[in-house]
Amino acid sequence: MIVVEFDAPVDDAPLQVTGFELGHVSLGWNGGAYSSRQLGSRGLLMVYLAAADMLNGVTTLLAHPDASYLFTGTSSAWSFALRRTRRHGLQLRTPAGRLLCSTSEADYAIAVWRGTERLLTAGTPIDGGPMTDLQAAIAAFPDAYRRASIAGGLYDD
C-alpha cells in the first residue's frame, strides 16, 4: 500500500489560495518513505502543480503500456521515477536509480487521487493557471483509470 501526501502551504495560510503555494510531497509505504521534506527548503515545490503533474503521470502510465514517468517537481530539487515491470508492477526509484518500493498501478493511481482530494479539501485555489491544470488532470483521471481497468491494464504481479 502506498500513500501520497501534498502539504501546502508551509507558511501561514494565506487568505486566498492562489495555487502557486510552496509545500512538500511525501510518498509512504510499508517500511519506508520518500519526501521532498528530506531536502528542506530545496525540496519545496508548487504543490498544486505537482498534484496535476502526478495525476497526468498516472494517466500516461495507464494509457501507454510501455510508458514510464519521471516526476520533476517544479521549483524543486526533489524528484522520483516510476517504471512499469511485468514481474513487480510499478517500481518507484530515486533519480539515481535506487529502488524505493514496488507497488501496483492501481494502488499508486488511487494514492495520487486520494492525496489530491485531501489537498483540495484543505484549500482549493482560486481560478487561474494552476487550478485549470489541476481541473484538467482531475477530469482526465477517472476515464483513464476506468479504461485501464476494463482493458486489464492494471495488474498486480
Side-chain angles (χ1 to χ4, degrees), residues 8-9 17-23 45-49 75 125 128-131:
V17 178
T18 66
F20 292 103
E21 283 76 17
L22 296 177
L45 44 84
M46 291 182 265
V47 291
Y48 291 95
L49 293 175
S75 73
M131 190 58 187

Side-chain angles (χ1 to χ4, degrees), residues 10 15 21 28 40-42 46 48-49 61 64 79-81 95 115 155:
V10 295
L15 295 176
E21 283 76 17
S41 62
R42 284 191 16 219
M46 291 182 265
Y48 291 95
L49 293 175
L61 284 169
H64 305 288
S79 63
F80 64 88
Y155 52 84

Side-chain angles (χ1 to χ4, degrees), residues 9-145:
V10 295
D11 299 322
D12 292 331
L15 295 176
Q16 281 190 321
V17 178
T18 66
F20 292 103
E21 283 76 17
L22 296 177
H24 292 284
V25 174
S26 299
L27 306 169
W29 56 91
N30 294 344
Y34 187 63
S35 175
S36 63
R37 288 186 181 285
Q38 296 164 314
L39 296 177
S41 62
R42 284 191 16 219
L44 285 169
L45 44 84
M46 291 182 265
V47 291
Y48 291 95
L49 293 175
D53 186 5
M54 288 176 73
L55 283 169
N56 287 329
V58 167
T59 302
T60 299
L61 284 169
L62 295 175
H64 305 288
D66 58 342
S68 60
Y69 171 71
L70 176 63
F71 174 81
T72 54
T74 306
S75 73
S76 176
W78 186 77
S79 63
F80 64 88
L82 282 171
R83 185 174 63 90
R84 179 183 288 117
T85 67
R86 276 253 173 240
R87 190 174 181 109
H88 302 291
L90 290 180
Q91 290 188 333
L92 175 68
R93 296 181 175 270
T94 66
R98 187 185 68 159
L99 179 64
L100 297 168
C101 76
S102 295
T103 187
S104 71
E105 292 178 49
D107 283 350
Y108 179 73
I110 295 302
V112 172
W113 181 258
R114 287 183 179 153
T116 302
E117 282 183 325
R118 286 188 300 271
L119 174 65
L120 290 174
T121 300
T124 302
I126 59 174
D127 287 339
M131 190 58 187
T132 301
D133 291 349
L134 191 49
Q135 286 170 330
I138 288 168
F141 180 89
D143 186 50
Y145 187 82

